[in-house]
Amino acid sequence: MKTIQWFPGHMTKAMRDMEAKRDLCDGIVCILDARAPMASINKNFKKIFGEKPVLYVLNKADLADSTKVDGFMKWFESKGKYCVKCNSTNPSSKRVLLQKLSDITKEKRERAQAKGITRTFRFMVAGIPNTGKSTMVNLISGQKRAKTGDKAGVTRDVRWLRCGEFDLLDTPGTMPPSFDDQYHAKHLAFIGSINDDILDMDDIALELLGELAEKYPQMLTERYGITDYSEKLGMYETLCKRRGFILRGGEFDYERGAKALIDDFRKGRIGKICLETASDYADFTW
Ligand SMILES: Nc1nc2c(ncn2[C@@H]2O[C@H](COP(=O)(O)OP(=O)(O)OP(=O)(O)O)[C@@H](O)[C@H]2O)c(=O)[nH]1
Ligand SMILES: [Mg+2]
């Protein structure tokens, strides 16, 4: 497979802006994708977040395998981190998120109240591209003020948005400048956090089939009639056959097959999936 690398110029500027705004903030909301929580931790965030309290949000939990997501919730908590799982497209998540932000700012609020001051609290909303940062800011603000979209790199500049008691800084999705491990880079490609234009979608589809065959084989059987998992290309061809992706002349239409598979995965049509397991990350630090 071709090595995945992607670090567009606007991310350098975004990370500089984020670091400059950090000291204005009472905390950070770090949005992760619940389908690949560890791949969505950008180790460079440590420098940007400094010592501020961080709330880790396992977003898109509606698309993810809840047992594994709960495993990660426990994992974050065991490391002394604030954590919540959420679906930012569902209005009922607003209350849960606000409660967490209130918990994190409790002491500061009480101190301000003791002095008779009413103040707002500032949070920077950070994360890799396409994890739902702008969607979450809109959810909390109760209005569609930040632009959202189902591809990586929609937000281009940092922007403050007043959300009741909180001021939230929506930020562009940012990546580490290079991926030190391609296993996690692949997960980012699967979930749509890397611009599809720089990816070889055939490659990505084959890799996704390989990983699903290992972790969720039954789902491949149910959706695509795949029962022989021994070969990625064989699975790809079964998928194309099942969906009628055959070109004139009888060749498989791999391009349509790849697009269908990746789209099905991203929209949750294959099933509720989490590609990572908390117990594999016992020694993980960042
Ligand atoms: N199913 C589901 N979809 C979500 C959720 N949160 C966001 N989305 C969708 O994910 C896509 C990306 O959302 P954005 O809010 O634009 O993501 P972002 O992190 O701001 O992306 P960038 O600005 O590109 O970094 C959109 O199509 C959203 O509707 C969620 O919790 N569940
Ligand atoms: Mg955005």
Side-chain angles (χ1 to χ4, degrees):
M1 198 189 122
K2 221 171 69 193
T3 309
I4 302 172
Q5 284 306 344
W6 186 54
F7 191 70
H10 78 268
M11 289 189 191
T12 315
K13 180 177 178 300
M15 287 169 103
R16 220 179 304 139
D17 289 349
M18 287 159 74
E19 205 171 346
K21 299 254 180 335
R22 188 241 341 268
D23 289 340
L24 298 171
C25 295
D26 297 287
I28 313 284
V29 181
C30 182
I31 313 279
L32 308 174
D33 191 310
R35 294 165 299 173
M38 293 297 106
S40 33
I41 289 186
N42 173 354
K43 288 194 175 180
N44 284 47
F45 280 150
K46 196 183 173 86
K47 185 161 161 266
I48 294 175
F49 296 172
E51 298 304 313
K52 296 289 173 183
V54 182
L55 170 62
Y56 289 94
V57 178
L58 295 169
N59 196 38
K60 306 202 182 185
D62 54 308
L63 301 174
D65 177 336
S66 59
T67 310
K68 288 199 177 192
V69 174
D70 289 343
F72 276 109
M73 293 277 290
K74 287 208 187 80
W75 182 88
F76 276 105
E77 281 158 10
S78 74
K79 293 188 180 288
K81 316 274 186 194
Y82 297 103
C83 184
V84 67
K85 61 176 175 178
C86 133
N87 168 4
S88 290
T89 62
N90 184 335
S92 68
S93 299
K94 180 174 173 174
R95 191 182 46 81
V96 186
L97 287 163
L98 285 176
Q99 185 60 53
K100 283 284 175 186
L101 298 184
S102 294
D103 289 349
I104 294 171
T105 45
K106 184 166 178 276
E107 276 176 33
K108 283 191 175 178
R109 182 179 300 96
E110 284 171 356
R111 254 182 280 144
Q113 277 167 352
K115 291 188 200 151
I117 300 167
T118 316
R119 56 160 293 192
T120 58
F121 297 95
R122 286 187 284 256
F123 281 88
M124 175 157 71
V125 181
I128 59 161
N130 200 39
T131 49
K133 297 175 291 300
S134 303
T135 306
M136 199 213 73
V137 168
N138 286 339
L139 172 76
I140 294 187
S141 82
Q143 292 173 46
K144 289 209 161 55
R145 288 192 289 174
K147 193 174 162 209
T148 63
D150 66 351
K151 59 177 190 175
V154 172
T155 305
R156 287 303 171 121
D157 288 302
V158 301
R159 181 176 165 210
W160 287 106
L161 288 151
R162 167 60 59 87
C163 306
E165 189 197 14
F166 300 103
D167 284 317
L168 301 182
L169 185 70
D170 189 20
T171 68
T174 48
M175 289 283 191
S178 65
F179 297 116
D180 47 16
D181 83 90
Q182 289 287 308
Y183 172 69
H184 286 128
K186 273 192 279 180
H187 292 179
L188 298 181
F190 301 157
I191 63 175
S193 287
I194 296 176
N195 187 342
D196 286 342
D197 297 342
I198 69 119
L199 297 170
D200 179 333
M201 296 313 260
D202 258 359
D203 258 7
I204 297 301
L206 280 172
E207 294 298 316
L208 179 57
L209 277 172
E211 197 157 334
L212 292 178
E214 199 186 300
K215 296 174 179 170
Y216 293 96
Q218 193 58 36
M219 288 185 188
L220 290 182
T221 309
E222 279 160 22
R223 183 145 188 101
Y224 306 115
I226 293 170
T227 49
D228 179 353
Y229 309 106
S230 57
E231 228 206 323
K232 289 178 196 167
L233 191 59
M235 292 194 277
Y236 204 178
E237 291 179 351
T238 305
L239 179 156
C240 288
K241 219 182 294 168
R242 166 65 73 105
R243 300 290 290 269
F245 298 152
I246 313 281
L247 296 167
R248 227 180 300 156
E251 293 254 329
F252 292 111
D253 189 343
Y254 291 115
E255 201 181 319
R256 277 182 78 195
K259 210 166 170 305
L261 173 77
I262 293 163
D263 205 48
D264 281 354
F265 172 78
R266 290 181 182 168
K267 302 230 165 83
R269 288 191 289 251
I270 298 176
K272 292 182 190 288
I273 288 165
C274 179
L275 297 166
E276 298 157 7
T277 307
S279 56
D280 293 338
Y281 295 89
D283 303 324
F284 185 90
T285 51
W286 72 98

